[in-house]
Amino acid sequence: GFVRRDQYIEIDGTPSHLPTTYVYNYSFEMQYQLLSNMFFSVAYEGSAGHKLIRTIDMNRFTPGDSFNCKGCANNKDMVQEADVNGNPITPRLTGNPNFDRIFFPLPDVNSNYNSMIVHVGKAYKHGFQLDGNYRWSKSLDTSSFGRGAQQTDPSQQSLDYGPSDFDVRHQFVVFGLWDLPIFSGQHGFVGKALG
């Protein structure tokens, strides 16, 4: 497709054949009943994704585009004067000034997720139950989203391997459930609908 941006044209392409993306999910859980009305569980959950999609800007990647645009929306000088860390380099002509971005998907991203989940639940009298979950996890990848991700150097995606954009290391949730006693003894419509 073509998108007109000022005087520059954006191009979106795709390979004729993309491999199938796949994700392995695995888990293991152990439960232990501490008391007659209290239980404890520890679980492991993980996943591994392969051949996930990332999109590169080929007008920056091959041959590249400017890294040094500071607050300018249309820096099209096509001269790379600094590396990704802002260090000066010998200027070299890059990119094609007749085009804006040339997006192309690559199916070469791998991801992995590992977590430990601890759950404690206790049932009380009068239909009340209290539960607590704690999850300690880590999600790693080289590109968290298929399009729009800023990559340090698309030709060396190992430079971007690290926590996913959506990585949440710690999560703690406490919740309760109360089975209301009203209408519970009725067998008619009201008991079935509200009991």
Side-chain angles (χ1 to χ4, degrees):
F2 295 90
V3 178
R4 181 86 178 177
R5 286 192 174 179
D6 299 324
Q7 68 268 29
Y8 305 106
I9 297 174
E10 178 182 302
I11 299 175
D12 294 271
T14 185
S16 57
H17 299 288
L18 284 171
T20 302
T21 296
Y22 59 96
V23 178
Y24 294 116
N25 292 304
Y26 31 86
S27 63
F28 175 77
E29 182 177 9
M30 294 184 301
Q31 290 186 351
Y32 182 74
Q33 188 168 348
L34 299 172
L35 303 169
S36 61
N37 57 356
M38 184 177 186
F39 71 92
F40 170 81
S41 68
V42 176
Y44 165 79
E45 290 182 2
S47 67
H50 301 283
K51 298 184 181 177
L52 306 173
I53 300 291
R54 70 179 169 124
T55 303
I56 63 167
D57 180 0
M58 294 184 73
N59 205 27
R60 171 182 181 257
F61 176 38
T62 53
D65 201 350
S66 177
F67 287 106
N68 61 322
C69 178
K70 293 185 174 114
C72 45
N74 291 313
N75 181 10
K76 290 294 168 185
D77 61 0
M78 300 299 165
V79 178
Q80 184 173 329
E81 298 170 356
D83 64 15
V84 293
N85 297 316
N87 301 319
I89 62 172
T90 303
R92 58 190 171 97
L93 187 64
T94 62
N96 185 333
N98 298 313
F99 296 99
D100 192 355
R101 297 172 295 187
I102 301 174
F103 286 126
F104 199 78
L106 295 177
D108 61 356
V109 174
N110 294 315
S111 68
N112 63 76
Y113 170 79
N114 295 285
S115 68
M116 177 190 71
I117 302 169
V118 177
H119 179 203
V120 177
K122 186 173 188 321
Y124 294 91
K125 294 179 180 179
H126 309 297
F128 184 71
Q129 181 175 331
L130 188 65
D131 290 83
N133 279 336
Y134 169 70
R135 183 186 71 193
W136 178 50
S137 63
K138 190 172 195 178
S139 179
L140 299 168
D141 60 35
T142 53
S143 181
S144 297
F145 298 99
R147 181 176 170 125
Q150 179 63 41
Q151 298 164 16
T152 305
D153 182 353
S155 65
Q156 299 181 54
Q157 66 168 321
S158 62
L159 296 174
D160 290 318
Y161 183 72
S164 304
D165 292 351
F166 46 81
D167 179 51
V168 177
R169 196 61 47 92
H170 304 280
Q171 182 187 42
F172 183 66
V173 178
V174 176
F175 58 95
L177 176 66
W178 184 22
D179 187 7
L180 294 172
I182 58 173
F183 304 119
S184 61
Q186 297 186 16
H187 300 289
F189 173 78
V190 174
K192 291 182 178 180
L194 303 175

